[in-house]
């Protein structure tokens, strides 16, 4: 059983288009995240939702809009795509505990903007 | 500013040649330090969580240790299947956020 899944795996699109990436987790976790991994493999947090509430919103262009319809899903919509948006986007989930919480990652979506 | 630095950037080992990867951190406080393994084209795979200085965790050929300023991932007698990028992340108190290092690309030659 896949714990954290993302669709699509690959996304190739033209500049200026709007696209969405979907994420689902079946771990029963209450917190979900979006990360961007650049060409140098550096992972940077973009957004996080806890129980459908936005709790982390890093300095990300407002062309990026996350949406969490329920605790098990977190989608990422990107408007007016730019060349610099090309990267691998990872979804992750965790169960927030008082001590710490381990994040589990999906397989990634490779976005290429032409 | 909270920061995580990993070294070396890349490491080539012969099969059976033990070594260590380093993750040094400068943070306002430590809630947890995490090690992940990432294979090409895949998402990071969780390995260990360390909470306090002196703690150690082991899994097969891997052993993670933690001090107040850094963590080491020791690889004993590595095999080619241990080849991957190893990522370190820290979480500070009162936050959900992970701060990742840039990773160490490990290549184990047969």
């Amino acid at each position: 059983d896949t714990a954290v899944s993302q669709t699509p795996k690959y996304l190739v699109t033209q500049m200026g288009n709007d696209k969405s990436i979907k994420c689902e987790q079946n771990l029963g976790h209450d917190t979900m995240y979006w990360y961007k991994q650049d060409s140098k493999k550096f992972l940077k947090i973009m957004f996080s939702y806890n129980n459908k509430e936005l709790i982390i919103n890093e300095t990300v262009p407002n062309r990026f809009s996350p949406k969490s319809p329920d605790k098990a899903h977190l989608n990422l919509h990107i408007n007016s795509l730019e060349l610099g948006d090309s990267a691998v986007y990872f979804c992750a989930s965790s169960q927030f505990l008082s001590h710490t919480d381990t994040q589990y990652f999906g397989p990634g979506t490779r976005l290429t903007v032409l | 500013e909270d920061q995580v630095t990993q070294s070396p950037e890349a490491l080539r080992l012969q099969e059976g040649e033990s070594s260590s990867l380093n993750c040094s951190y400068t943070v306002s406080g430590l809630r947890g330090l995490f090690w992940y393994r990432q294979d090409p084209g895949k998402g990071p795979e969780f390995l260990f969580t360390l909470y306090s200085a002196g703690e150690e965790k082991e899994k097969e050929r891997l052993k993670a240790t933690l001090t107040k300023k850094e963590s080491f991932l020791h690889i004993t007698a590595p095999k080619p299947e241990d080849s991957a990028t190893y990522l370190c992340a820290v979480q500070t108190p009162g936050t959900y956020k992970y701060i990742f290092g840039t990773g160490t690309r490990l290549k184990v030659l047969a």
Side-chain angles (χ1 to χ4, degrees), chain A residues 29-72:
Chain A
H29 289 165
D30 61 2
T31 308
M32 296 184 73
Y33 311 78
W34 278 113
Y35 284 85
K36 179 179 181 180
Q37 189 171 48
D38 60 24
S39 56
K40 294 185 178 179
K41 306 297 184 187
F42 182 61
L43 263 171
K44 194 168 190 320
I45 184 78
M46 298 173 69
F47 302 103
S48 177
Y49 273 76
N50 173 259
N51 286 318
K52 301 196 297 175
E53 181 186 343
L54 182 65
I55 55 169
I56 297 175
N57 187 354
E58 293 292 288
T59 308
V60 176
N62 57 15
R63 297 180 295 103
F64 290 78
S65 52
K67 280 193 173 56
S68 181
D70 56 56
K71 286 197 307 182

Side-chain angles (χ1 to χ4, degrees), chain B residues 60-74:
Chain B
E60 296 179 358
R61 295 177 293 282
L62 299 177
K63 179 179 175 180
T65 62
L66 181 65
T67 72
K68 288 186 177 179
K69 294 291 184 189
E70 59 192 348
S71 176
F72 291 94
L73 186 65
H74 307 278

Side-chain angles (χ1 to χ4, degrees), chain A residues 2-22:
Chain A
T2 304
V4 182
S5 59
Q6 295 178 229
T7 53
K9 174 92 172 146
Y10 300 96
L11 189 51
V12 181
T13 188
Q14 298 288 329
M15 262 197 321
N17 283 351
D18 302 339
K19 289 293 178 186
S20 292
I21 307 172
K22 295 187 176 182

Side-chain angles (χ1 to χ4, degrees), chain A residues 2-6 23 89-93 104-109, chain B residues 42-44:
Chain A
T2 304
V4 182
S5 59
Q6 295 178 229
C23 178
Y89 292 85
F90 287 101
C91 176
S93 74
Y104 294 90
F105 285 79
T109 295
Chain B
K42 296 194 175 179

